[in-house]
Amino acid sequence: GAGVSQSPSNKVTEKGKDVELRCDPISGHTALYWYRQSLGQGLEFLIYFQGNSAPDKSGLPSDRFSAERTGGSVSTLTIQRTQQEDSAVYLCASSLVPPGQLNSPLHFGNGTRLTVT
Amino acid sequence: AQKVTQAQTEISVVEKEDVTLDCVYETRDTTYYLFWYKQPPSGELVFLIRRNSFDEQNEISGRYSWNFQKSTSSFNFTITASQVVDSAAYFCALSEAWSGGGADGLTFGKGTHLIIQP
């Protein structure tokens, strides 16, 4: 079946512009995660959705970042007034059930490479 | 194409037992990077280790140890004297040389859910 789909795969934007990254999880997966990987850094957890709710938004790096999930499916990560330090690969993942429960392996998308010039 | 296989979807052991999580990978590159991440119930991914393909020396960090064997394309992870707090999902991952060890071209295994019973 189809895996986690992220779009766009690559995005180049000018500093100060807003960008929207999309994640389409595997159908039926209730949990959805956003991570980012900056050059030379480890994976940074951003936010996790269970259904349409995000129990913890503290991982978002600044108030320029927001995320939403509608219909328990597609999620969008929005970065307003982009800065060069936002350049990174943004990874989305989904799992059938919440983390910590049985049979909840993560399925990752291929990521969106964001470059802010 | 890269591929990471974690054949064990779930492992359950009693506290204080040793447990090994298997990871087998496929790549055509001669230079690549291997990772292990831990995902506790909070959802975040906790970086545990990164090894490059030229360094086959096994590594030990406290109760954690990693056995990298290029001959079998395996990068197994052992927890000695397991504790309840070790309960989590664990992910093995591979990235290609051009990524410089970053997330570009990062391929994850499906993960192993580890349950440590008291």
Side-chain angles (χ1 to χ4, degrees), chain A residues 82-103:
Chain A
T82 53
Q83 302 294 313
Q84 288 186 331
E85 64 260 26
D86 299 334
S87 296
V89 175
Y90 289 81
L91 290 167
C92 176
S94 70
S95 64
L96 185 63
V97 295
Q101 295 189 17
L102 296 180
N103 300 318

Side-chain angles (χ1 to χ4, degrees), chain A residues 25-30 95-96:
Chain A
I26 293 174
S27 178
H29 279 198
T30 62
S95 64
L96 185 63

Side-chain angles (χ1 to χ4, degrees), chain B residues 39-113:
Chain B
Q39 187 197 38
S42 62
E44 65 181 312
L45 274 182
V46 178
F47 169 83
L48 297 179
I49 190 171
R50 185 184 81 172
R51 303 304 298 274
N52 71 56
S53 54
F54 295 109
D55 183 3
E56 286 193 73
Q57 188 172 11
N58 291 330
E59 181 158 338
I60 298 175
S61 176
R63 295 185 297 107
Y64 295 172
S65 62
W66 291 269
N67 183 2
F68 178 27
Q69 292 194 346
K70 291 180 74 171
S71 61
T72 55
S73 296
S74 65
F75 186 45
N76 296 338
F77 172 33
T78 297
I79 302 174
T80 304
S82 60
Q83 300 176 3
V84 172
V85 294
D86 296 328
S87 296
Y90 291 84
F91 294 89
C92 181
L94 168 73
S95 70
E96 297 171 313
W98 58 267
S99 73
D104 304 60
L106 193 64
T107 300
F108 280 83
K110 292 286 191 282
T112 297
H113 190 92

Side-chain angles (χ1 to χ4, degrees), chain A residues 11-19 81-83 115-117:
Chain A
K11 176 72 176 177
V12 180
T13 189
E14 292 180 358
K15 177 181 174 181
K17 296 285 178 98
D18 297 350
V19 296
R81 305 181 302 281
T82 53
Q83 302 294 313
T115 303
V116 181
T117 61

